[in-house]
Amino acid sequence: MALPESFVLYIEHKLKSRLSPGEKANRKRMARVASVYTTPCFERTPEQIIRSNKAHNVKRPSITNKRIWASVERSSEQVIQEAMEEAIRRDPDQQRDWVVLVDGETSQLASIEAELKAQSLGATVIVDFIHVLEYLWKAARCFYSLDTDEIEQWVKGRGLKILQGKCVDVAAGMRRRATVEGLSQDRRKAVDTCANYLQKYRDYLKYDRYLEKGYPIATGVIEGACRHLINDRLGITGARWRLSSAEAILKIRSIRSSGDFEAYWEFHKKNERVRNHTSLYAKSQLLEAA
């Protein structure tokens, strides 16, 4: 049976009420990055993802119509709105499945849910599985040394259960083990943080359903975009940017990454001619600039 295509939207968050990690007042600005693309639904099993290797790998379908953009001037809410508008332009009647991938930041989720409601849009919001694994690894270090085989097996085992839709059971199990082993409040901090995360976002961690429907569950597209779009240019050692200059660089790099540069360049040349040449002439006579 042919599976439907799905839209995927991802928005990199920027904290609203305080500085983001690593951000310093008046010295750093966090860029908001969004991507909208189309991909065929691709069914996988939890085992295929956790035990991914050459023997289990299945060729993934290619994504198409990818558009990426970033901004250091506009707010997270504005970038989210732009992403939704781009998706609506492509699929105004919502004939495809819409998927929104997020990293679990609270204000980001609130903005996305509010925009979906305001636009009367139906979409499946998914928290990126890679972010979940990061929390699992930190929790695992409370029980095992980093250089042992046991820590990897523990993470794989819990990761598999989460992919099977058992995130609440995983949260309860790690809390119980920390209590049985008598870990101090300080030592078990990462366990409680991970368990709280799994319980808080359990409605966005229904990976068993997502995999059955063929939805993506990780944000590799946007992670790659952040690297080559921003870090490789704006994050070089010693770089200093004015806000307007950084915004201009991000716009032109976004256009190129989206595959729209040739069309944009033709548009740019035509408008340059109008501004600098055609607009100065009337009835073949050169008008004096005001």
Side-chain angles (χ1 to χ4, degrees):
M1 180 178 68
L3 292 169
E5 290 185 322
S6 60
F7 266 133
V8 181
L9 300 90
Y10 180 81
I11 303 95
E12 183 77 0
H13 80 272
K14 164 71 171 65
L15 297 184
K16 184 176 180 181
S17 58
R18 64 183 296 275
L19 297 177
S20 295
E23 186 180 10
K24 299 179 181 179
N26 302 319
R27 295 187 63 188
K28 288 187 177 181
R29 292 286 290 260
M30 184 72 75
R32 274 72 64 176
V33 183
S35 179
V36 179
Y37 61 90
T38 303
T39 181
C41 292
F42 176 55
E43 291 185 29
R44 293 94 72 215
T45 65
E47 290 75 16
Q48 283 178 316
I49 292 176
I50 288 296
R51 298 165 187 168
S52 178
N53 54 45
K54 291 183 178 179
H56 292 84
N57 277 349
V58 179
K59 186 177 180 181
R60 296 181 59 85
S62 301
I63 65 174
T64 57
N65 302 320
K66 180 175 68 174
R67 174 155 291 175
I68 299 171
W69 63 97
S71 175
V72 292
E73 289 185 329
R74 298 190 294 282
S75 67
S76 179
E77 291 79 4
Q78 289 175 304
V79 173
I80 290 170
Q81 185 178 18
E82 291 169 1
M84 296 297 177
E85 289 173 352
E86 170 68 14
I88 292 171
R89 184 186 67 79
R90 298 185 184 195
D91 186 27
D93 298 324
Q94 281 207 281
Q95 296 180 343
R96 305 175 187 177
D97 294 344
W98 285 32
V99 177
V100 183
L101 283 165
V102 298
D103 60 13
E105 201 281 313
T106 305
S107 63
Q108 177 198 57
L109 271 172
S111 297
I112 289 171
E113 295 286 4
E115 186 64 26
L116 289 172
K117 184 177 180 180
Q119 299 282 355
S120 299
L121 298 172
T124 300
V125 182
I126 302 174
V127 168
D128 171 40
F129 181 63
I130 302 302
H131 281 79
V132 175
L133 282 180
E134 291 176 0
Y135 280 91
L136 278 179
W137 274 105
K138 291 177 182 178
R141 292 169 192 167
C142 298
F143 303 120
Y144 304 101
S145 298
L146 190 58
D147 57 350
T148 61
D149 292 336
E150 287 84 356
I151 189 171
E152 185 174 358
Q153 295 305 315
W154 188 89
V155 172
K156 282 186 175 182
R158 274 63 193 174
L160 180 61
K161 287 185 177 180
I162 291 172
L163 289 172
Q164 292 170 342
K166 302 175 182 177
C167 63
V168 174
D169 294 342
V170 171
M174 66 173 66
R175 285 189 195 277
R176 185 164 51 250
R177 177 173 177 178
T179 300
V180 170
E181 294 189 4
L183 299 184
S184 66
Q185 194 70 26
D186 185 61
R187 186 178 173 186
R188 65 177 288 165
K189 185 176 180 181
V191 171
D192 291 329
T193 299
C194 180
N196 290 338
Y197 186 90
L198 294 175
Q199 290 179 325
K200 180 179 180 180
Y201 295 114
R202 59 185 178 275
D203 291 337
Y204 304 100
L205 303 179
K206 299 174 182 178
Y207 295 118
D208 53 332
R209 301 182 188 178
Y210 308 149
L211 293 175
E212 286 180 3
K213 292 181 178 180
Y215 294 162
I217 61 171
T219 57
V221 169
I222 204 69
E223 297 297 337
C226 289
R227 183 179 64 253
H228 76 259
L229 190 64
I230 298 172
N231 294 342
D232 290 352
R233 184 65 181 91
L234 302 185
I236 57 179
T237 302
R240 297 292 184 271
W241 297 91
R242 293 181 184 274
L243 194 59
S244 58
S245 301
E247 183 75 5
I249 288 292
L250 286 178
K251 285 180 178 178
I252 198 69
R253 289 175 70 83
S254 297
I255 288 171
R256 184 170 182 178
S257 295
S258 300
D260 295 327
F261 183 79
E262 295 301 326
Y264 160 75
W265 191 243
E266 290 300 317
F267 170 82
H268 172 76
K269 289 191 294 183
K270 290 178 181 178
N271 281 271
E272 279 286 284
R273 180 176 177 83
V274 170
R275 285 194 297 269
N276 299 327
H277 183 74
T278 307
S279 62
L280 301 180
Y281 287 84
K283 296 180 181 180
S284 302
Q285 297 296 321
L286 180 63
L287 300 178
E288 294 192 8

